[in-house]
Amino acid sequence: RNNKPETRKCSQLSPLQAQLSDMLSQHADMKHVAQKAFVSYLRSVHLQSNKELFNVNAIPHDALAVAWGLPTLPRLRFVDAPTQKAKNVPYAMREAAKEKEKAAGDVAA
């Protein structure tokens, strides 16, 4: 029995990201499973209670998706998205929000 670790030349090693990407582009079902696993992993990080250690917004999502062999970033509904202007909000609610912002600005000044 040989207990020596096997060594290989760098030229013999192939990049795993390219192989994963090729495999996922050929098999749609595997791509779907990889996307679900990616979202599940980030959701588990998001649900951890220690936010200083487990900050999902500190993880580079695009780079992680590429490392997993995903060509595009799956939709992450639980990650803080950039604030967008709310549509179809009743006038009274918009005015109340404006008054709150104005009052908070007056207190800070």
Side-chain angles (χ1 to χ4, degrees):
R1 188 171 178 185
N2 187 1
N3 289 334
K4 281 189 198 177
E6 187 176 325
T7 58
R8 291 184 182 217
K9 295 179 184 176
C10 289
S11 62
Q12 292 177 334
L13 299 176
S14 61
L16 186 59
Q17 290 175 348
Q19 289 179 354
L20 281 172
S21 183
D22 290 341
M23 184 175 57
L24 293 179
S25 66
Q26 292 173 2
H27 303 285
D29 56 337
M30 291 182 83
K31 178 184 171 187
H32 180 70
V33 170
Q35 287 176 335
K36 287 179 69 171
F38 180 82
V39 172
S40 178
Y41 168 72
L42 288 178
R43 185 179 298 122
S44 70
V45 171
H46 175 70
L47 293 175
Q48 295 296 320
S49 59
N50 186 353
K51 295 300 179 192
E52 291 178 13
L53 183 60
F54 298 103
N55 184 359
V56 74
N57 293 321
I59 297 173
H61 302 134
D62 293 331
L64 186 61
V66 170
W68 284 40
L70 297 171
T72 59
L73 182 67
R75 185 173 179 189
L76 304 170
R77 296 181 179 160
F78 53 89
V79 176
D80 296 334
T83 56
Q84 296 178 355
K85 185 177 179 182
K87 295 182 180 180
N88 299 327
V89 176
Y91 180 77
M93 290 180 76
R94 282 187 295 193
E95 290 301 313
K98 284 181 187 177
E99 290 298 322
K100 257 188 186 179
E101 289 176 7
K102 187 176 178 184
D106 291 343
V107 171

